[in-house]
Amino acid sequence: MTNAPTDTAPRGPAEHAVRDQIIAAAHECFARYGYGKTTVSDLAKEIGFSKAYIYRFFESKQAIGEAICTDRLDQLVSEARAAIDEGGSATEKFRRMFKILVNLSLQLFFDDRKIYEIAALSASEQWASARTYKATLKAMLIEIVREGRESGEFERKTPLDETCRAIFYAMMPFIDPLHLERNLDLLPDAQVEVCGLILRSLAP
């Protein structure tokens, strides 16, 4: 198991345009045929580039998958951040964050299944995109819990890092692409009930 190499292509406007063209073509091919069945040669034929030219911008197929996965997970993070910013109390912010993450993960699963499979592979193999996604969500969760402690909404006796790890573990079955598929029949009730249990455990 290896992580995708860092993309070392030039960064000028023209290079960015070509990179975006490769990503767009890859997204279409992955969505149609699946990540596993698509080769870099397939992408080259789709775009009309040589395989060697694609390798100027991405050192592997996984690097292309990383770019697509990062873009989609960034959208989830952006909408989760917006949901948090619209919340009032820390309790409401947590409710909104958890709910929007589950809803967006379900939307990806049902509407863009092949891309969902890339996200699940990313989580399974611990690609940089998956690690960054989890780290960002954990940081947002710490922010909410810390705010709740400062406002008196949440208890302060349990160490902050322990509290947030436990909460994150409880959320994972419903927001991690690797696990969500096995828990579809539990939704939406399970998410609401787990959310309620977490918030009761945080009460002072």
Side-chain angles (χ1 to χ4, degrees):
M1 180 178 69
T2 57
N3 292 322
T6 303
D7 174 21
T8 57
R11 297 294 182 177
E15 288 79 8
H16 274 296
V18 173
R19 189 174 184 277
D20 290 344
Q21 187 178 357
I22 294 169
I23 292 173
H27 188 289
E28 185 174 334
C29 283
F30 293 158
R32 188 185 310 137
Y33 305 115
Y35 176 81
K37 294 182 178 179
T38 303
T39 66
V40 174
S41 295
D42 294 331
L43 296 178
K45 292 176 184 176
E46 182 81 14
I47 309 170
F49 291 162
S50 70
K51 186 165 70 171
Y53 189 67
I54 290 179
Y55 280 130
R56 285 187 53 196
F57 297 87
F58 296 96
E59 294 185 9
S60 67
K61 184 178 77 168
Q62 181 177 319
I64 301 173
E66 283 270 22
I68 292 172
C69 195
T70 296
D71 180 65
R72 185 53 62 94
L73 294 176
D74 282 351
Q75 292 178 35
L76 267 66
V77 167
S78 177
E79 297 214 29
R81 168 52 62 187
I84 290 172
D85 292 343
E86 291 174 6
S89 65
T91 296
E92 184 59 25
K93 288 179 179 180
F94 176 74
R95 288 187 191 278
R96 294 177 66 88
M97 172 190 175
F98 195 3
K99 183 177 181 179
I100 194 69
L101 286 173
V102 172
N103 288 346
L104 291 173
S105 298
L106 286 171
Q107 181 179 325
L108 179 59
F109 178 84
F110 286 112
D111 295 346
D112 208 345
R113 182 61 185 273
K114 297 296 185 182
I115 304 303
Y116 175 89
E117 290 171 359
I118 299 177
L121 181 64
S122 171
S124 174
E125 298 190 351
Q126 288 296 296
W127 291 2
S129 52
R131 297 197 307 272
T132 299
Y133 177 62
K134 287 186 177 181
T136 303
L137 295 186
K138 286 178 182 177
M140 293 164 70
L141 181 58
I142 289 171
E143 173 190 324
I144 292 172
V145 174
R146 182 178 286 122
E147 179 182 327
R149 290 184 170 199
E150 291 173 355
S151 68
E153 288 178 70
F154 300 157
E155 61 90 12
R156 304 182 185 183
K157 294 179 292 183
T158 312
L160 180 64
D161 58 345
E162 178 183 332
T163 297
C164 292
R165 278 199 307 273
I167 294 172
F168 203 65
Y169 296 152
M171 295 170 65
M172 277 298 96
F174 311 109
I175 65 173
D176 187 330
L178 187 60
H179 303 296
L180 177 64
E181 183 173 6
R182 296 194 291 270
N183 295 289
L184 291 174
D185 60 336
L186 302 178
L187 296 170
D189 293 349
Q191 184 271 323
V192 174
E193 292 171 359
V194 169
C195 181
L197 179 64
I198 290 170
L199 289 172
R200 287 193 296 276
S201 74
L202 290 172

